[in-house]
Amino acid sequence: MNTTSPAQTSTLPTWDLSDLYTAPDDPMVAADFARAQAMAKSFAATYAGKLATLSGAAIATAIADYERIQESLGRLSSYAQLLFAGDSTDPAIGQFYQTVREQVTGISSDLIFFSLELNRLSDTALEAKLVDPALAHYGPWLRDLRVYRPHQLADDLEKLTHERDLTANGAWVRLFDETIAALRIPLEGASLTVSDTLNKLSDRDRLVREAAGRAIGAVFGDNLRLFSLITNTLAKDKEIEDTWRHHARPGSARNRANMVEDEVVDALATAVRDSYPRLSHRYYQMKARWLGLPKLQHWDRNAPLPSDDDRLIEWGEAREQVLTAYGAFSPELASVGQRFFDRPWIDARLKPGKSGGAFAHPTVPSVHPYLLLNYHGKTRDVMTLAHELGHGVHQVVAARQGYLMSGTPLTLAETASVFGEMLTFRSLLDAATLAQRRIMLAAKTEDMLNTVVRQVAFYQFETLLHDERRKGELLPERIGELWMQVQTESLGPAFEFTPDYSVFWAYVPHFIHSPFYVYAYAFGDCLVNALYSVFQGGHPGFQAKYLDMLRAGGTKRHKELLAPFGLDASDPGFWNKGLDVISGFIDELEAG
């Protein structure tokens, strides 16, 4: 058994961002900004106020020019974002990040007219122009752009909103990020980052978990006024924008961006909440019995089970487990995934100042994605690697659609990542002994509960918070009450929550970075469960259809993408198919 933590070895990879730029003072940074600025000025002079008079072919040429400028700005932004994610405590990096954001905002202000003017074309006029094959190529992008048509403002207001983001929403987000990165939590004589302390909540020793839980509660409690101010301010900022843009409710803007109807999201959230008793409530009552506890505390939620050897998994072993699983499903999928390990596209180190959690950043189609992880060597970290590699592979194969159409809505962006997790889990499960199988089923059930139940509870928390914020500012204690309400409802009677848990909402970055993002995880998990069931059923040509779905990028909506598999997310019964998979795992654990 390993005795050295992968987190303490030199084997963890670090990324090399030089495929974007070699350093903040790389001469290409200034050169690319100068070129993008000149292109943007020329673009505005050529096209502003003239789109209605142009032919379909001429508009297609304009969109291609627009795409080139946006990709150039996207490359600069990606580099600054990744540098900042690698160390947000370095003042020089923070300065560079802000400078890039300001310059990108300034240049892109000259481009705002373009999408607004396109949306002012009547449906009849646009349809006539789309007969041209060159413009028809951009049909999916124009289709998605039209979704925002009822919500766009006058040109000058759009420009003001765009430029003020730097000192409004964007500034509060940066304050949150830098605050979280700088926080240190005293634990067992050490001073730990938030990420490292959260990892202690899955320690085998219950006393360590409790100490970590209480320490997090104390530090976030000391900073609660700041986190409450950030949350209240951003919620009010969102309300103002939603009102101006005529969005029906706080979550509607996110749903428009995800190209999914409010009613579909409502059906998902309702199905999950109705299933709390048969899913999370039932599982955690079993877990309490396994741990020999009359009640679970919040620091027991991710505790390893007594029979779990909880061994540390070296990075090389994790890589092989994930790539083997991918390869058994599709050699092409594994081949694309292999690139991330053969080249310095992954940063898995644990270091102060680094962004917590994990993500896959697509950068731009002319370069490649990068993955960020904080690898602690646990089974959950292997699943996180499988998840983020799924994103990365998706981003690579969809890049052929170009900058404007390669990105997918968040709901579908989670499909490849969660499917990658499922492939890895099933591969490991097939090779497990009977005793290992039970542990793995329990671990997978917990991961699915964290992905589905926990994220829908987060979504419910956001909904309650934003609805109540429209009546006035919320005191920190009230935000804590809403948090405890949804946690009690979702986790069930097996838990007895200590008061310090009421501040744990404050560390969740999605509430700050991407309001109402979180349901996309549940959407993706339930969708993948249904999709995997189709695969297990021997659906003909499944692998080829799956890869075609990934390659489509953002050119198709969820109905079109799922139709080849006989699935329909707008069907009220669809979500229960995915939830039944989780319930089936719990049934097997109860029977065992």
Side-chain angles (χ1 to χ4, degrees):
M1 182 185 294
N2 285 323
T3 56
T4 304
S5 167
Q8 297 172 339
T9 71
S10 59
T11 60
L12 292 178
T14 179
W15 57 31
D16 178 354
L17 302 179
S18 60
D19 286 345
L20 292 164
Y21 298 98
T22 58
D25 59 358
D26 183 341
M28 287 304 299
V29 171
D32 283 355
F33 267 127
R35 183 165 52 251
Q37 185 170 42
M39 290 170 66
K41 295 289 185 189
S42 173
F43 183 84
T46 302
Y47 293 112
K50 302 168 187 173
L51 296 186
T53 65
L54 298 181
S55 66
I59 290 179
T61 299
I63 294 175
D65 291 344
Y66 175 81
E67 185 171 40
R68 276 191 289 275
I69 302 168
Q70 290 287 15
E71 178 156 358
S72 179
L73 295 176
R75 185 184 188 117
L76 289 156
S77 295
S78 297
Y79 180 64
Q81 289 161 7
L82 291 170
L83 269 184
F84 189 69
D87 186 359
S88 58
T89 59
D90 184 327
I93 289 176
Q95 180 190 44
F96 176 73
Y97 172 64
Q98 181 65 12
T99 299
V100 168
R101 291 183 67 235
E102 290 177 5
Q103 288 188 258
V104 167
T105 298
I107 293 170
S108 56
S109 288
D110 286 325
L111 306 175
I112 287 174
F113 80 90
F114 189 59
S115 59
L116 300 175
E117 203 169 315
L118 282 171
N119 268 348
R120 281 198 289 270
L121 295 174
S122 70
D123 291 339
T124 303
L126 183 59
E127 285 169 14
K129 295 177 190 295
L130 279 167
V131 172
D132 188 286
L135 187 59
H137 167 74
Y138 292 105
W141 181 70
L142 291 165
R143 173 203 64 199
D144 291 349
L145 192 63
R146 305 292 271 189
V147 170
Y148 298 101
R149 200 177 177 198
H151 308 292
Q152 69 185 37
L153 308 175
D155 290 22
D156 55 349
L157 284 177
E158 289 285 3
K159 193 168 183 177
L160 175 64
T161 301
H162 177 70
E163 293 181 359
R164 285 198 66 194
D165 180 70
L166 289 166
T167 54
N169 182 290
W172 290 100
V173 171
R174 181 184 174 191
L175 175 62
F176 173 86
D177 287 343
E178 293 189 359
T179 301
I180 290 286
L183 283 180
R184 291 298 176 267
I185 298 179
L187 186 66
E188 299 176 317
S191 181
L192 303 182
T193 63
V194 173
S195 175
D196 286 343
T197 313
L198 288 169
N199 185 58
K200 296 288 186 184
L201 294 177
S202 59
D203 196 275
R204 176 168 297 284
D205 188 333
R206 192 174 192 230
L207 292 177
V208 172
R209 297 198 304 273
E210 179 178 356
R214 293 192 184 281
I216 293 168
V219 170
F220 276 86
D222 290 342
N223 291 273
L224 198 57
R225 287 185 64 193
L226 174 60
F227 288 118
S228 298
L229 175 61
I230 293 171
T231 300
N232 269 296
T233 302
L234 287 174
K236 184 62 180 178
D237 182 73
K238 180 169 175 25
E239 179 198 347
I240 293 168
E241 182 155 356
D242 285 348
T243 300
W244 275 87
R245 294 191 182 279
H246 306 292
H247 286 298
R249 59 195 201 194
S252 295
R254 174 66 59 196
N255 297 341
R256 296 295 82 73
N258 282 343
M259 304 301 156
V260 65
E261 302 79 12
D262 288 353
E263 295 74 21
V264 171
V265 178
D266 289 344
L268 165 65
T270 299
V272 173
R273 292 181 68 194
D274 287 348
S275 293
Y276 285 168
R278 71 180 178 122
L279 300 180
S280 48
H281 295 188
R282 190 160 59 114
Y283 175 78
Y284 288 118
Q285 285 172 325
M286 270 198 301
K287 184 166 187 174
R289 293 196 298 271
W290 293 337
L291 294 176
L293 298 170
K295 288 282 186 181
L296 297 176
Q297 298 294 341
H298 69 84
W299 53 77
D300 297 317
R301 186 173 55 83
N302 286 330
L305 299 180
S307 51
D308 186 353
D309 67 5
D310 199 29
R311 73 181 183 89
L312 294 166
I313 302 167
E314 290 283 3
W315 177 256
E317 184 182 352
R319 178 189 64 226
E320 291 310 309
Q321 288 177 347
V322 173
L323 288 177
T324 298
Y326 274 46
F329 172 74
S330 164
E332 182 180 348
L333 209 65
S335 176
V336 176
Q338 183 73 50
R339 296 183 211 170
F340 287 82
F341 299 98
D342 291 344
R343 300 163 193 178
W345 296 359
I346 304 176
D347 194 318
R349 301 166 301 165
L350 304 174
K351 72 183 194 72
K354 181 180 174 181
S355 176
F359 64 73
H361 195 306
T363 71
V364 292
S366 56
V367 187
H368 57 77
Y370 284 96
L371 309 185
L372 178 143
L373 298 89
N374 287 274
Y375 188 80
H376 294 272
K378 303 291 182 66
T379 300
R380 278 194 174 90
D381 295 304
V382 178
M383 293 301 161
T384 299
L385 174 60
H387 181 102
E388 299 306 335
L389 189 66
H391 278 308
V393 168
H394 192 180
Q395 290 159 357
V396 168
V397 300
R400 69 188 67 193
Q401 302 293 348
Y403 187 77
L404 294 180
M405 296 188 292
S406 57
T408 56
L410 297 179
T411 43
L412 295 169
E414 292 301 332
T415 302
S417 53
V418 178
F419 198 85
E421 279 189 76
M422 183 63 84
L423 288 174
T424 303
F425 167 71
R426 293 287 186 177
S427 174
L428 296 175
L429 192 68
D430 289 344
T433 65
L434 197 60
Q436 289 172 332
R437 178 182 175 85
R438 181 174 174 79
I439 293 297
M440 291 182 65
L441 276 174
K444 181 60 176 173
T445 299
E446 289 197 17
D447 284 345
M448 295 170 99
L449 293 176
N450 282 335
T451 303
V452 177
V453 169
R454 186 164 173 79
Q455 301 306 322
V456 166
F458 282 1
Y459 175 73
Q460 177 69 3
F461 168 72
E462 286 188 284
T463 301
L464 292 172
L465 187 148
H466 281 262
D467 284 347
E468 195 160 318
R469 180 64 183 91
R470 295 190 171 198
K471 302 171 187 172
E473 184 165 288
L474 281 73
L475 292 172
E477 295 78 11
R478 178 56 183 159
I479 300 176
E481 288 172 1
L482 296 177
W483 173 258
M484 295 293 260
Q485 174 185 327
V486 299
Q487 293 302 309
T488 301
E489 178 192 0
S490 62
L491 294 176
F495 280 86
E496 176 184 79
F497 295 107
T498 53
D500 58 345
Y501 190 55
S502 66
V503 304
F504 269 59
W505 58 269
Y507 81 81
V508 181
H510 299 80
F511 299 155
I512 305 301
H513 292 169
S514 312
F516 299 96
Y517 175 111
V518 288
Y519 76 78
Y521 290 115
F523 193 113
D525 198 282
C526 289
L527 190 156
V528 164
N529 286 343
L531 202 58
Y532 199 87
S533 295
V534 173
F535 169 57
Q536 283 186 309
H539 185 85
F542 183 93
Q543 283 90 333
K545 291 178 182 178
Y546 179 77
L547 286 166
D548 284 344
M549 179 176 71
L550 300 190
R551 292 188 192 101
T555 62
K556 296 180 180 178
R557 300 273 181 86
H558 62 82
K559 275 184 178 282
E560 294 175 86
L561 289 170
L562 295 177
F565 305 99
L567 297 172
D568 180 4
S570 64
D571 177 355
F574 173 80
W575 301 113
N576 281 319
K577 293 179 184 176
L579 298 173
D580 287 346
V581 172
I582 308 175
S583 185
F585 284 174
I586 298 172
D587 290 343
E588 186 172 340
L589 288 167
E590 280 185 330

